[in-house]
Amino acid sequence: LQSYRVIKLIHDLRDGMVALSHIGIEGCNMMFDTQLAAEYLTGDPFVGADALLLLFGVSEHPLREKMKGIVKSNTFFWHKRPLQKDYVEYAGLDAGLLFKVAPKLSAKFGNDEQKNLLIASMARAEFSMKYNGKRSVCFDFENDYAIASSELLEVFRAESVVKNEPLKNKCEVEDLINLLPEDLLSKLVQKGTHIPTHMAEYDLVDINLDVGRRACCWMGNDRVFLSDDENRLVTMEEIDCIVSKLGGFGTDNRAGLEQKLHRISGMCNRKGEVIGLSMRVGRWFEGNAAMLVDFLLGSDKSILILGEPGSGKTTIVRDAVSVLASRHNVCVVDTSNEIAGDGDIPHPCIGDARRMMVPSLDAQSSVMVECVQNHTPHIMVIDEIGRPREVEAARTVKQRGVRIIASAHGDLRKLLKNKELRGLVGGVESVTLGDAAAKEEAMRKSNGKANGSFSKTKAQRMGEPTFDVIVEVRRGEKHEWRITRDAKVAVDAILDGQKYKAELRSRDSRLPIVMYDLVEL
């Protein structure tokens, strides 16, 4: 394995490198990944072993599917010693088939190409051992931003690599902090200044003020009281002072600061007086949407971003708007001025996009339709679709040929259980089956092991999804997103009680690449 004289062929070497590192073998040399070679020939970074064999006229491995089933049921079967005889035979046949491909593969490449493929393969081996088998990908500018193996593109066409640049935090959190009384600032600013601390800049989520109670904030999932004095309580005068500096509350009890992204929500008593404030930090991270550049700039698909409150959906939407507006006529339908900030002039975070403000939550659906009728956008962006009329308006917008980028609460499975919102992914209807069809369906789902009882109703997708791609984000995991490339296929699988495939994309701020895995959910 460490010899420089012998070339070692392996197809998708990532798992193999991790396995070798687990038994203490490091420093492998002259590894040649046939999957990278196949990508160089076909442009597909995910060519499987059997697809490679067929590509060169070699018969498929006869036990491949059987072994996949074994791996799914027991991921540690290779760890057992001694290995079972059929496992050894499987591995030997695998190596033999790859050996048949070797001369045909070699004939396809010149000396320089083979040398570069070896360099790319060794780069993949090093990355795999360091990052536990994760796949390193980038986006190919010359190929409509398609996903490519970063090791391969860096070697053959480095100028085409769209790199994952470090995020630039443009939070402006000091504008929100400075609304507070002076004696409540010490936990949020550097000593003797009004400059936010590093934690306030990056981790501050909300500031909560309620009359007669202690002021506190949330740093991630941790509550921090703004004063150590338990008798320091918020007064009505302090609430009124802050409210006087805002742009005015809408019917949704939300307000903001002129050309700032922060959101201030009011809690009112029965008289309509504001007695509590939730001050949510609005952030703009330039480059945040880079993990979606293949969908944003390389396709015309509509994208729905799902996540719980505080998971970063709006932050992704803001940067996506800026990226899209550099090429397209983009219009933001801005509920509560959440995306582009308060005031008549939108925040710079949306780039060249235009913004339509929504006078009240009840008017959001009508503003969406008005936007299409009056302003002819190529792309419409909406934050937080949450009511049936907006679901119907989104369908109308899509049917008129306008692409949509939007967000909503929850995840894909929860969305399908939400009667008001599941129309975003095609809706759900219940159909009644005849006895024979119901029995056949039960047998199929149980792999022929149905016990005689079966249901005569079946849930199925009602129509075409409004959104083609689903992005799921989670609170506290702002650098790891789950992406469902085909919403229609995923919804059908969920309703059928099956797993569905998704892409797990993550990033490390120190690296110019995206880490990629295929997962079953």
Side-chain angles (χ1 to χ4, degrees), residues 2 22 60 94 121 165 208 286 295 320 407 443 469 486 513:
Q2 295 176 337
H22 284 171
E60 297 180 0
D94 209 22
S121 298
E165 300 291 345
N208 295 337
E286 188 176 350
F295 294 111
S407 69
M443 293 292 286
V469 176
D486 191 330
I513 52 87

Side-chain angles (χ1 to χ4, degrees), residues 16 30 35 64 104 133 146 211 226 256 322 345 348-349 423 436 474 491 519:
M30 301 299 283
Q35 187 177 62
R64 183 90 62 197
K104 299 180 179 182
V211 171
L226 298 183
S322 179
I345 302 174
C349 70
R474 292 170 291 175
V491 169
V519 294

Side-chain angles (χ1 to χ4, degrees), residues 267-281:
M267 288 184 175
C268 299
N269 61 19
R270 291 186 177 184
K271 299 176 184 178
E273 300 166 331
V274 178
I275 58 170
L277 296 172
S278 298
M279 303 166 67
R280 165 63 59 89
V281 177

